Amino acid sequence: MNGTERVLFCDFDGTITTNDNIIRLLRQENPSGWEGIKDDVLARRISIREGVGRMFSLIPSQRREALTRFVVEGAEIRPGFQRFLTYCRSEGIRLLITSGGIDFFVYPILEPFGIPQEDIFCNGSDFSGETVRITWPHSCDRHCDGDCGMCKTTIMRRFPAAERIVIGDSVTDLAGAQLADWVIARDYLLDRCREQQLPHRPFETFDDVIAALEAHAPVKGGMTE
Ligand SMILES: [Mg+2]
Ligand SMILES: [Zn+2]
């Protein structure tokens, strides 16, 4: 492994934050019909991109500030995240945030942590119309037919030579987990990693993530593993 760049692809909702911000926001706004769309997404009758787009289209654009305040103020960061960032910087580990969340809450929640904007991948939003329109600056490349919205494997394919590690919690991380060298997982993703025998370590805090990265640390100073 020596000499191989280590790149982390870290999920946001339910991973960096302890809960899912999109669900929390929609529950709060409770626009008529959103739950049926959510159920269609979970049952995979429609894609994540279609579902998220349709749910947000039920919310008036004039709610922008209220939405942002609600999500940002209520977001809870998983313990150890700041130590994890410091660890990545000191070890020269490249950290990319790969989020199915939306820019209007992902950037402000991450703002205190000083992560370069170009290392954060998420969906966009347009509040210029009557209702919220989600934009998809990182949609699937020709290798993915998942209609993901924010396509995590598309980002990962830009680093074919790296040691690729996925950190995540849910169904939107599964395709990336299957492509990764190994996975740091909790909740739903952890169950799938066990079932599918994907190489993985479990986590609950980012201190667990640091410990997992240390345990799988490439050999320093010459010899390959
Ligand atoms: Mg998640
Ligand atoms: Zn995709």
Side-chain angles (χ1 to χ4, degrees):
M1 302 293 286
N2 190 51
T4 304
E5 188 189 15
R6 176 170 259 194
V7 185
L8 309 182
F9 302 88
C10 184
D11 175 50
F12 182 74
D13 284 86
T15 299
I16 293 174
T17 62
T18 55
N19 41 27
D20 187 302
N21 296 291
I22 291 183
I23 296 295
R24 201 161 58 81
L25 184 150
L26 283 157
R27 255 190 213 131
Q28 164 75 12
E29 288 297 301
N30 200 21
S32 172
W34 81 273
E35 284 185 295
I37 302 171
K38 179 199 69 179
D39 293 341
D40 283 347
V41 172
L42 293 178
R44 304 199 191 184
R45 287 187 286 270
I46 59 174
S47 70
I48 292 171
R49 189 192 57 77
E50 184 183 350
V52 170
R54 279 172 49 192
M55 288 189 289
F56 275 92
S57 76
L58 303 172
I59 300 175
S61 291
Q62 61 187 22
R63 295 286 298 152
R64 177 182 195 157
E65 278 182 28
L67 296 178
T68 306
R69 203 178 324 115
F70 173 78
V71 189
V72 174
E73 285 177 1
E76 195 181 294
I77 301 291
R78 188 171 297 280
F81 185 60
Q82 182 62 68
R83 285 187 290 280
F84 165 67
L85 294 176
T86 304
Y87 172 79
C88 290
R89 280 171 198 144
S90 71
E91 295 293 313
I93 296 171
R94 181 129 187 223
L95 169 66
L96 303 179
I97 311 300
T98 46
S99 168
I102 322 292
D103 59 355
F104 74 87
F105 65 82
V106 172
Y107 289 121
I109 292 171
L110 288 177
E111 205 267 333
F113 298 102
I115 301 165
Q117 188 132 340
E118 64 268 24
D119 292 342
I120 302 173
F121 298 86
C122 63
N123 296 311
S125 53
D126 176 358
F127 291 84
S128 65
E130 198 164 305
T131 64
V132 183
R133 190 174 72 86
I134 304 302
T135 63
W136 315 99
H138 308 290
S139 49
C140 305
D141 64 14
R142 65 191 170 85
H143 300 285
C144 181
D145 59 5
D147 199 23
C148 304
M150 210 312 284
C151 185
K152 301 190 184 204
T153 59
T154 293
I155 310 289
M156 289 177 70
R157 273 186 286 276
R158 296 179 193 162
F159 299 87
E163 179 195 15
R164 297 181 292 194
I165 305 166
V166 160
I167 307 170
D169 72 303
S170 80
V171 63
T172 58
D173 301 301
L174 186 55
Q178 290 162 340
L179 185 63
D181 289 280
W182 59 285
V183 188
I184 303 174
R186 57 175 294 275
D187 201 48
Y188 173 96
L189 186 66
L190 179 59
D191 295 340
R192 296 295 85 71
C193 285
R194 285 176 172 146
E195 248 173 42
Q196 302 182 18
Q197 301 186 346
L198 302 172
H200 71 278
R201 298 234 170 190
F203 81 102
E204 273 308 320
T205 71
F206 276 98
D207 296 303
D208 302 332
V209 174
I210 295 170
L213 291 166
E214 285 278 282
H216 268 70
V219 176
K220 286 170 188 156
M223 297 300 290
T224 50
E225 224 166 26

